[in-house]
Amino acid sequence: MSATRPNLAAAYDPESFRRLGHQWVDQLADHLARTLRREGPVLPWASPATHVERFPASFPEEPSGALPDLLTRVITDSHHLHHPHYVGHQVSAPLPLAALCDFASSLLNNGMAVYEMGPVSTAMEHNVLRWMAGVLGLPEGAGGVLTSGGSAGNLTALLAARQAKAGFDAWNGGPTAGPPLTVLVPETTHYCVARSTKVMGWGAEGVTPVPVDAHYRLRPEALEESLAAAQRAGRRPIAVVASAGSTATGAFDPLEAVADFCAKHDLWFHVDGAHGASAALSPRYRHQVKGIERADSVVWDAHKMMMMPALITAVLFRDGNRSFEAFAQEASYLFTGQDTRRWSDVALRTLECTKEMMALKLYVCLSALGTKLFADAVTESFDLARRFAERLQSSGDFELAVAPDCNIVCFRHTPKGLPASELDALQVRLRESLVTSGDFYLVQTTLGGRVWLRTTLINPLTTDADLEALLEALRRAA
C-alpha cells in the first residue's frame, strides 16, 4: 500500500466525517444561541495584522488535533451577523437551514456549467427563477440565471442590453465596432454599474448621471436632458438603470415613469433591485416596486432581504431568450450539438463556468419554511425602519436624513450645544467607538456633503428595544 493511502483514506472516512460534523454543528448551534441572547460583541475588533498573526501560514506536515480549537477561534474572532445589534451592511443573518444546504452543496460539489454536472440544482434554479419572475409580475416567457452577486448580475444584464440595443455586434466586434455607448443612471446608483461599463470598454462616460431629488430618487423629468446631454457628447444611450432600494439610502426610483421614458425612446429598462426587489414579496410594501414588471431586466439578491448566505443573485429577463445574449462562447468540451440556447446548460448564460449549487439553499428554504416567512421578514423590517425613523424625529438630539423607503435608515447625533462644523467628525468618532467596542455594528455614508450614520435593519431578530439601546449607546459615546 502506498504510504499516502492511509492518510487519504482517513481524510475521506465517513465515520470521522459524521463525528466531526456533529461536533461542528454543536459548536455553531451554541454560537447561534449565544449570539441571539445578545451575548458577546457583534464584532470582536482586532487589527488586520493581529489576525495575520493569529492565523499564521505555518501548517503541519502530518494530521493534527487542532480542528476543535481552530473552529472555536474562527467562530469567536469572526463578525457575528446573527447578533441583533448588527445593523450594518446589506448582508443577511442567514437562515440556519440555508447554512445546512451550503454544507450539502459543498460536499456534493455539483458544478453547473452543463446540466449533467448539476442536474438537480439546474432544475431547482430554473423553477426558483420562474417563481421570482412571477413574484415581480414578469410575463410568461421570462427567465434568467443565478450568479455571484449584484456586481456580476448588473454586468450580465448590461451585456444583454448592449447586444439588444447597441445596433452593432459589440460582443464579436468590440466596443469600437460602433459609436460609443452609454447608459443613463441616477447619481446615487451603485458603483458596480460604472464598473460594468468600464469593464465593457466604454470609459468614464459610459454612465450618464441623472439628477435625484431631495429623497435621493431619480427625477424622471430630468431624463430628457440627460439623454440629450449624452447625445451631444457623441454617445449612443442604450438603457436606463433605475434603483429599487439604492445602497446609500434605500431609495426606490419611480419605476413606472422610467418605464414610460424607455418605451418612448426605445431604450432598455434595467432595474437594480439587488436590495429592494424583495419588497414585491410584501403585500404592504409591494407598491414600492410598481412598474418593475415592465423592466427588460432585473437584478435581485436573495442574500439580502431573503436571508440567504452570500452569494445568490437572480438576473431576470422579461424575455428569457435575452439571457443567452450576454455571453456567447463556443466550447466543444462543454457544449455539444447545434443547440446553443439550451436553458439547461447554465454556463451559456453566466460569467461563471463551475458554479456552486446556488438554488439549493433558496429552493429548500422556500419549500420547507414557506413563502410567508419571507414576506413577513420584509414587511417587519420595513415597519421597524419606519418606527425607528419616528423615534429619531421625536428624540430631540438625532436628525433623520430622509424618511426611509425600506429598511435602510440614515441619521446623525446632534447633541445640543455642539457647533454644526463639528457634527461630521462626531459621527465618525461615534461609529468608531461603537464598532471597536463591539456594542453595535453600523456604518456611515455621505449625503449632501455631510456624514451620516447608516443602519440596515436586515437581521429579522433586531427589535425596537435594540434600536433604543443603539441610541443610548451613541449618547454615552458622545
Side-chain angles (χ1 to χ4, degrees):
M1 179 183 289
S2 166
T4 63
R5 185 62 59 181
N7 282 348
L8 286 171
Y12 282 90
D13 177 59
E15 292 309 314
S16 296
F17 172 65
R18 190 189 312 279
R19 289 191 299 273
L20 184 61
H22 281 297
Q23 179 183 341
W24 279 28
V25 168
D26 283 344
Q27 284 184 263
L28 288 166
D30 289 344
H31 156 71
L32 185 62
R34 288 191 300 271
T35 303
L36 298 186
R37 291 194 300 265
R38 296 163 176 79
E39 296 176 5
V42 182
L43 171 63
W45 175 257
S47 70
T50 299
H51 278 310
V52 168
E53 291 179 4
R54 287 179 182 172
F55 298 91
S58 56
F59 308 107
E61 185 171 334
E62 296 294 333
S64 73
L67 278 177
D69 173 65
L70 178 59
L71 182 62
T72 297
R73 289 191 291 120
V74 168
I75 293 172
T76 301
D77 291 348
S78 289
H79 203 145
H80 302 143
L81 275 64
H82 287 90
H83 197 300
H85 288 184
Y86 175 87
V87 290
H89 293 289
Q90 296 151 280
V91 184
S92 75
L95 291 164
L97 178 57
L100 290 178
C101 293
D102 251 341
F103 189 18
S105 173
S106 294
L107 184 67
L108 294 171
N109 202 29
N110 277 205
M112 294 180 61
V114 292
Y115 171 75
E116 61 196 50
M117 281 299 294
V120 171
S121 49
T122 299
M124 286 181 169
E125 178 167 323
H126 180 69
N127 284 325
V128 159
L129 289 163
R130 288 179 60 198
W131 175 78
M132 296 176 86
V135 168
L136 297 182
L138 296 173
E140 285 293 327
V145 291
L146 296 179
T147 191
S148 303
S151 295
N154 280 305
L155 174 61
T156 300
L158 290 175
L159 285 167
R162 183 181 67 174
Q163 288 301 98
K165 297 294 185 180
F168 60 95
D169 184 3
W171 180 257
N172 290 301
T176 60
L181 306 176
T182 192
V183 294
L184 310 184
V185 304
E187 293 171 333
T188 52
T189 198
H190 193 271
Y191 72 85
C192 73
V193 174
R195 177 178 286 180
S196 294
T197 58
K198 287 183 178 179
V199 166
M200 290 190 284
W202 300 2
E205 294 182 351
V207 294
T208 298
V210 181
V212 295
D213 63 18
H215 292 277
Y216 301 97
R217 304 178 189 126
L218 178 148
R219 290 174 45 215
E221 70 276 10
L223 282 166
E224 291 286 355
E225 173 52 32
S226 294
L227 177 68
Q231 292 169 334
R232 288 194 298 270
R235 293 274 168 166
R236 174 182 290 174
I238 64 165
V240 179
V241 177
S243 296
S246 66
T247 301
T249 64
F252 284 73
D253 292 331
L255 303 183
E256 285 197 297
V258 177
D260 290 340
F261 177 82
C262 289
K264 175 183 175 182
H265 293 281
D266 191 29
L267 299 175
W268 183 278
F269 176 28
H270 174 62
V271 177
D272 181 359
H275 185 80
S278 292
L281 293 165
S282 167
R284 184 175 302 166
Y285 294 106
R286 182 179 177 81
H287 67 276
Q288 299 274 59
V289 291
K290 190 175 182 183
I292 201 169
E293 71 281 356
R294 297 173 62 188
D296 294 295
S297 56
V298 179
V299 163
W300 179 359
D301 285 352
H303 57 268
K304 288 188 169 70
M305 296 296 294
M306 293 191 74
M307 301 172 285
M308 292 291 107
L311 292 163
I312 311 174
T313 294
V315 189
L316 296 160
F317 293 92
R318 181 179 182 81
D319 176 358
N321 288 322
R322 293 293 189 188
S323 67
F324 293 93
E325 296 177 3
F327 307 100
Q329 246 73 59
E330 293 296 328
S332 61
Y333 52 85
L334 277 179
F335 314 124
T336 58
Q338 300 302 310
D339 184 3
T340 58
R341 292 201 163 202
R342 288 191 302 274
W343 67 265
S344 54
D345 288 344
V346 178
L348 289 166
R349 297 175 290 146
T350 62
L351 189 65
E352 303 97 336
C353 181
T354 303
K355 185 177 81 173
E356 64 135 345
M357 302 168 72
M358 287 183 188
L360 175 66
K361 293 165 272 194
L362 188 52
Y363 188 94
V364 167
C365 289
L366 287 167
S367 298
L369 303 176
T371 60
K372 187 175 183 297
L373 176 83
F374 298 90
D376 289 347
V378 173
T379 300
E380 290 171 12
S381 68
F382 283 30
D383 285 349
L384 180 64
R386 281 154 176 75
R387 293 196 301 272
F388 185 41
E390 291 170 2
R391 182 179 289 108
L392 290 163
Q393 287 179 305
S394 63
S395 67
D397 60 345
F398 285 92
E399 179 184 0
L400 184 68
V402 63
D405 278 353
C406 59
N407 60 329
I408 296 174
V409 184
C410 298
F411 65 98
R412 51 202 246 144
H413 188 28
T414 55
K416 288 182 178 153
L418 188 69
S421 60
E422 297 180 23
L423 285 174
D424 283 354
L426 175 65
Q427 313 312 312
V428 174
R429 291 198 303 272
L430 289 178
R431 177 187 178 270
E432 181 179 343
S433 175
L434 266 64
V435 169
T436 54
S437 71
D439 290 340
F440 284 86
Y441 184 83
L442 71 167
V443 294
Q444 68 186 54
T445 190
T446 301
L447 302 172
R450 296 188 295 171
V451 177
W452 299 82
L453 300 173
R454 177 177 170 277
T455 58
T456 303
L457 309 182
I458 201 164
N459 185 334
L461 301 173
T462 298
T463 66
D464 293 280
D466 292 313
L467 297 177
E468 185 59 43
L470 169 62
L471 299 188
E472 287 303 317
L474 289 166
R475 289 179 178 121
R476 288 194 302 272

